[in-house]
Amino acid sequence: MAFSSKTKSKKNLTLLHPITRTLVSESTNIFLSVQEINQLNSFELRQEVLNSSKKYRCIIRECIQRLESTSNRNDDYVSSLCDVFYTTELCWHLCEILYLEPVPGDVILPLLKRWIQFHFVNYESIAVKIMKYQDSEEAVSNVDTESLVPDYWSTIFGLLCQGNSQLACKLVELHSKANTSAFIKAIKFLKYIPEFDNLDAQSVIEFEHSWQTWRSKVKSDVEAGTFSPDKNLETAMKIIIGDMSVDKVLRKHSASWYQYLIAKLLYTQPSIKSSQLEHYVTDAMKLYRVSENPELLSILLKSLLEKDLLTSTKGFLNMTDNCWCATHLTNLLQIGQYIPVNSSTNERLDKKLIIGYGKFLIESEVFWEIGVLYLRSCKQEGFQVLKTVLPEIQLDNDYVAKKVLRIAHENNLFSVVQSVCSKRSEKYIELGRYVDALAWAIKGKNHDLAASLADIFLNNYVETHEMPLLEVVDHLGTKALFVDRLMFLVKFVQYCNKKNKKEFTDGLSLLIDLLVNNMVPTYFKLTYFMEISTLLSSSLTEANKTDLVQILHSIEDYSNEFEAIPMNEDDKNTKQKYDEFLKKINPLRKQVITLLALASLP
Amino acid sequence: MEAKTVMCSYLSRKMSKVRWKPDNDVPCSKFLTGSWGESSQRLPNVEDIQGNAVQLWKYIPNMDPIPLYTMEHAGDVTELKFIDTKSFLVSSSQGTLQLGQIVHDKDETFFNIKSLNSWSNIHAYKNGTPSSLTSFARSKNGVVTVGDDGRLVVISLDNPTPLCSIEDPFNSAIKCVSFIDHKSVITGNALGSLKVWDLSSGQPKPVFSLPSTLKLVSINFIQQKPSQQHLLFVGSDDGSITVWDMRNTDSPIILNTAHNEYYQHHPFPRI
């Protein structure tokens, strides 16, 4: 399904119109319920598939109606949308008849006739107008229907081409000469055209027999010249017996090859089986000169009538509806087991389409939550795609981030969880909101981010002696203990809290614990020792001998580390630093030694 | 409760909020919706307002809702509340609060939403990037708004500039706010902490924090029980609802994990 970028951008707009957007949402519900019907037995399953197909068509029609009623219906964009969905519905309906509808005795024409009558209502609406006019006062005072209503006969021929003989008959009855013998006879023939009716438990053979009998009666009357007083009436009668001489009339009154095809078959092969349709398709197309360079609609209808599902699917893919129709229809056919599953690879034809459609929805910005539902219906393959497309969703704020996160959690997509959290964390770092950044880094278990944020907080403490996490540390919870640096930060904040509460002894033992475990980062050590010094200066602090020895050890270790750094005598900066270090650390050293001496006194 | 038919209509926007327009004569027949995540990219030749919007609808039983008016809205609608039968407040993910009023002609055929006042960018980060105004609460005297920028802003509805705006620098994004009494509010943040603020001096001052047990779980709503105002219902990301009695804040009185996904709003039925 590779589209050029130009066509893709054009295609994107089809489903984004405010009216077509409702189609996307509504079809999702049908789609999801269709995925559930897999569990049913084969009879119920096919019944449900047919019902769902009707539901889909119903929402397409509603969409077309709403598009037609918009104020700017003549606009190119809206009219192209109407065209797309009109074609979709016409083809979908034919597909439904040929594949999903149960056809008694495989006599397909009654259904095809209904299809034509349903979609092409022009003759019917003229007929209704004529009949209304006939009832009006103006008509009563006139006698000659024919001259007053110029479309009179052409409407009758058109109705007959669509197999609507009942309405045609009603029109003929309106004729001013309706009580002449030719008309009376014609009306009788029209009224009693045999129709295949499954409800009568009629067999196909019985139907064929009654149709042949009826036809030969009409034919003999035509040949006997019964209808010759009225040429038009005679043409009408010739149409219903499938006389080749009126083929031109048939063509004139059928706007397209498929209408002509049905019209012709209605009066020549009324009991034709769906599998035999293919023999007549090419001829009809040739007559209408569409076979050389057929437009998409013709390709689709041809492939459907020829029961060539693969070509049909390809045709649906070429529609400019972002594969909306191809996806839903193929899925329906697959669920109803009308498309075989590839036995060697166990691959379903519809999966690729669903994934493609789901991906398009996610990439479309506004539909991404719906897209997730489609991808999820494809289980493993869908999850693979979800993994790659979910992190691409633009996270404008926490609200969106949380939605993506929830989906990731529901589907156990931990890589997505991590990616979303890291993105939010990075965003908050950029915005200078370090507490939120840290919270997101912890949620996403991002070691590097959490460690570097811990460094930010600690460095900030070195410079300002302010600890912004005092209030929130309890809310970070045990989840925060996955990185050493973060663990140190949390412990240090706990110490700060103790210091604020003047729990100096507890505070000191916490600090010493961290020293013993070697968790204090080097850049923080000097500040750390100064904290210890402050605590030791307070009379509230009780330090035992072991603690003091430990502190002394640590000071020595630290001094050694500092001195081990190679020093160039010209390097004033380093020297200055060393002097500062000594200036700060020596008093502490003295302080600890004094305390130790005091503690050693008996 | 009497069983009623459920009507389902498909609208062409993603909705984040829906609020009945309070009416003196019950039942309500109009409602407002606010949308989120709508593309700012315009479609060609579409006359309708595109992107995020606040929309007014008319509800007639067993029919699709009829759109009466659509007002453009910059950013996602994060909260939408009526303050009387005509006026409402709407907040945006771009840090703006707007006071709107529904107006109509005598026959109620033409509707319009008039913007009475707007407080732009009252929530923003230090670098000027707008921050989401996540929630607001209203008392007789004014409105308190909170946002992802960790700010608390006090607004008087007749004053075009905020009365004061303070940052809680040592804390995370504030997600919701509710009045406890006429001079104090409570806020909930993204880490699960609940904090009470005193507004009596005009400048909000933090008074104390509730010992919430939530760890790194965002609080999404705080709602007072209308009949017993000392009871607060607090909903959070993990789907739990905690009930706090403000007369004794040592620990919550009920902890209910009714939902397994995040809980967004807990409306009390109007009595």
Side-chain angles (χ1 to χ4, degrees), chain A residues 18 21 29 398 436 471 475, chain B residues 10 12 38 175 195 214 216:
Chain A
R21 274 184 67 169
N29 271 354
D398 285 358
D436 286 309
E471 286 183 18
H475 293 285
Chain B
Y10 291 87
S12 43
E38 288 298 321
K175 295 292 182 187
K195 200 187 246 188
L214 296 167
L216 271 182

Side-chain angles (χ1 to χ4, degrees), chain A residues 13 16 18 21-22 26 29 71-72 75 366 369 398 402 406 433 436 439 468 471-472 474-475 479, chain B residues 10 12 14 36 38 43 45 47 149 167 170-173 175 191 193 195 214-216 220 262 264:
Chain A
L13 293 181
L16 289 174
R21 274 184 67 169
T22 59
E26 205 167 351
N29 271 354
S71 54
N72 48 357
D75 166 74
V366 288
E369 278 182 296
D398 285 358
K402 267 191 219 169
R406 198 180 81 214
R433 300 281 306 169
D436 286 309
E471 286 183 18
V472 300
D474 288 340
H475 293 285
K479 291 172 196 162
Chain B
Y10 291 87
S12 43
K14 293 190 283 182
W36 73 278
E38 288 298 321
L43 292 172
N45 306 321
E47 285 169 5
D149 56 350
E167 192 183 356
F170 302 143
N171 225 323
S172 83
K175 295 292 182 187
L191 301 180
S193 116
K195 200 187 246 188
L214 296 167
K215 309 270 184 226
L216 271 182
N220 291 322
Y262 71 100
Q264 263 209 309

Side-chain angles (χ1 to χ4, degrees), chain A residues 29-86:
Chain A
N29 271 354
I30 305 176
F31 173 81
L32 293 177
S33 64
V34 167
Q35 309 318 302
E36 301 292 313
I37 62 179
N38 253 336
Q39 332 290 341
L40 302 172
N41 69 38
S42 90
F43 174 75
E44 284 174 335
L45 183 122
R46 296 209 160 185
Q47 197 57 43
E48 263 318 300
V49 166
L50 177 62
N51 288 343
S52 307
S53 169
K54 286 181 175 163
K55 281 184 200 161
Y56 277 125
R57 281 203 301 116
C58 183
I59 58 170
I60 304 173
R61 288 198 75 81
E62 204 183 313
C63 174
I64 299 172
Q65 271 173 13
R66 290 178 63 186
L67 282 169
E68 282 175 344
S69 61
T70 54
S71 54
N72 48 357
R73 56 172 298 193
N74 293 326
D75 166 74
D76 281 353
Y77 178 34
V78 175
S79 68
S80 78
L81 292 179
C82 281
D83 286 349
V84 169
F85 289 106
Y86 177 75

Side-chain angles (χ1 to χ4, degrees), chain B residues 178 180 186 222-224 230-234 242-244 246:
Chain B
S178 171
I180 310 174
I186 181 163
I222 307 174
Q223 179 113 9
Q224 260 182 327
H230 57 277
L231 290 184
L232 286 183
F233 286 68
V234 176
T242 329
V243 184
W244 289 85
M246 292 313 284

Side-chain angles (χ1 to χ4, degrees), chain A residues 301-312:
Chain A
L301 293 175
K302 177 178 186 276
S303 62
L304 285 169
L305 289 166
E306 289 174 347
K307 290 217 159 183
D308 177 1
L309 257 186
L310 202 66
T311 315
S312 307

Side-chain angles (χ1 to χ4, degrees), chain A residues 274-287:
Chain A
S274 60
S275 54
Q276 296 165 330
L277 288 171
E278 57 178 322
H279 306 305
Y280 302 91
V281 172
T282 324
D283 284 347
M285 285 179 84
K286 264 187 195 155
L287 265 178

